[in-house]
Every structure is written in structure tokens, then in C-alpha cells.
Amino acid sequence: MKNNIKLSLYSLLLIFFSSSVFAQENNIYELNATNELSKENSTSNKSFKNQNNSNRENFYDLAFKLHPTTYITNNVAKKNSGNGNYISKLIFNDTKSFNLLKEANSDLNNVEFISITLSDENDLNNKLDLSEIRNLSHLKYVFIKCYFKCTEKQIKEFINTDSNIRVFYTTEIPS
């Protein structure tokens, strides 16, 4: 009898956590690149894109697991814990601090992931052009969290990247 109850409980927990993972993936959208660099017809560019489009594992690992991270708010960078000698994640809690990316900073050379929180539609006016920033040579992913209902068109107008950087976005309405 005890084993049946435990088995039922484990099954219920498994179903709950499985549905959470699937729901999370369904609410995270990836932009299709539309800038000029993404339209190049080079074979290496196509194979890079095809390889990345089929796999989100690395994105989820960087987005949701602990890595050496720098949090940036109001033009102040605060390093956080995480194992490793280099920063692999940047978390922007506002859009007014993007100028820190343009400063020559060797700490950014190994950044693979940037997360940006947009609090309201006014934040979309502080556009981000990553195609001009050269010290982010390892950047692979940008994840934009909107605390309002945002559209793909708005996100495309907000950010400009080269074709090797994948852009994801989600809407999270705080309660």
C-alpha cells in the first residue's frame, strides 16, 4: 500500500515537472534573423545556423543554470558567484546601461549569454546594436524578457545583431 502511494506521488511529481518544462519552452520564442548578415549565402553560415536552430540545450543551460554572471543595473556592474575564471553571462536589469558594452573591457571577451529585462514599452526606445560591439566575440545568445505583452516586430526593432547570435524572447507579466 505504501509503495502504491509513493509511486503515485512520484508519478504526479514527474508529470508536474515535465509539463512545466514543456510549457516553459513553448513560451520562449526565437527570432528569425532578418538583417543583411543573415542573408549571406555562404555555406559555413548556413551550416552554423542549421546546427544551432535544431538545438536549444546550450541556451537553456546558460539561461537557467548557475554560471559566472555579472548583473548590471543603473550603469553599475556587480559580479556574482559562479564557478569559473571568466564571466559567461551578463544580466541587464534595465536598458539604460547598454553603454557599458561599448567600453573596452576584457571581462566581456568570454560572454556567451546576455539577458535583458524590459519593464515597459518605453524600454524599447533604448535600442541595442550588438553588431558594432567587438569585445563580445563569444556571444551566442540574447534572451529578452518583457514584463508586458511584446511582439516579434517590437523585439526585431529593439535589437540588431549579427547572424551568429540567436535572439530569444518571452513575455512574463509579473503578478
Side-chain angles (χ1 to χ4, degrees):
M1 183 71 170
K2 277 186 172 182
N3 288 340
N4 287 341
I5 293 173
K6 282 184 178 180
L7 182 61
S8 298
L9 180 61
Y10 290 139
S11 298
L12 183 62
L13 288 172
L14 180 64
I15 291 169
F16 174 76
F17 286 114
S18 297
S19 64
S20 295
V21 170
F22 293 128
Q24 187 175 36
E25 183 166 328
N26 290 333
N27 291 327
I28 296 176
Y29 305 99
E30 183 172 3
L31 291 185
N32 293 326
T34 58
N35 59 21
E36 290 303 313
L37 289 174
S38 67
K39 294 179 182 176
E40 292 177 1
N41 291 323
S42 71
T43 308
S44 62
N45 192 23
K46 283 183 180 178
S47 65
F48 179 82
K49 282 185 184 176
N50 290 338
Q51 176 186 10
N52 277 335
N53 284 337
S54 64
N55 187 348
R56 286 189 176 191
E57 263 183 60
N58 195 29
F59 165 75
Y60 286 123
D61 178 61
L62 286 165
F64 299 111
K65 292 187 179 176
L66 184 61
H67 291 275
T69 305
T70 296
Y71 291 88
I72 301 172
T73 306
N74 296 324
N75 286 317
V76 176
K78 181 180 176 185
K79 291 183 182 175
N80 189 21
S81 63
N83 297 330
N85 295 329
Y86 61 88
I87 302 299
S88 60
K89 290 171 61 170
L90 291 177
I91 308 290
F92 283 90
N93 293 316
D94 62 48
T95 60
K96 298 171 186 161
S97 303
F98 292 151
N99 61 325
L100 293 178
L101 292 172
K102 295 177 182 173
E103 296 175 4
N105 188 343
S106 62
D107 286 347
L108 301 181
N109 289 340
N110 293 305
V111 169
E112 297 179 61
F113 178 89
I114 293 178
S115 175
I116 302 166
T117 300
L118 303 177
S119 299
D120 56 43
E121 289 190 43
N122 291 331
D123 285 341
L124 293 168
N125 295 328
N126 298 326
K127 299 188 184 318
L128 178 60
D129 188 355
L130 292 173
S131 64
E132 297 178 352
I133 300 172
R134 300 293 171 225
N135 57 348
L136 292 170
S137 58
H138 288 87
L139 183 62
K140 297 176 186 173
Y141 309 103
V142 175
F143 183 40
I144 300 169
K145 293 183 223 174
C146 300
Y147 285 167
F148 58 94
K149 184 76 174 162
C150 59
T151 65
E152 181 176 357
K153 181 182 179 200
Q154 288 174 311
I155 300 300
K156 283 182 178 181
E157 291 172 358
F158 168 72
I159 190 166
N160 184 32
T161 65
D162 67 35
S163 63
N164 294 332
I165 299 172
R166 296 173 66 186
V167 178
F168 296 87
Y169 72 98
T170 188
T171 297
E172 297 178 2
I173 309 291
S175 46

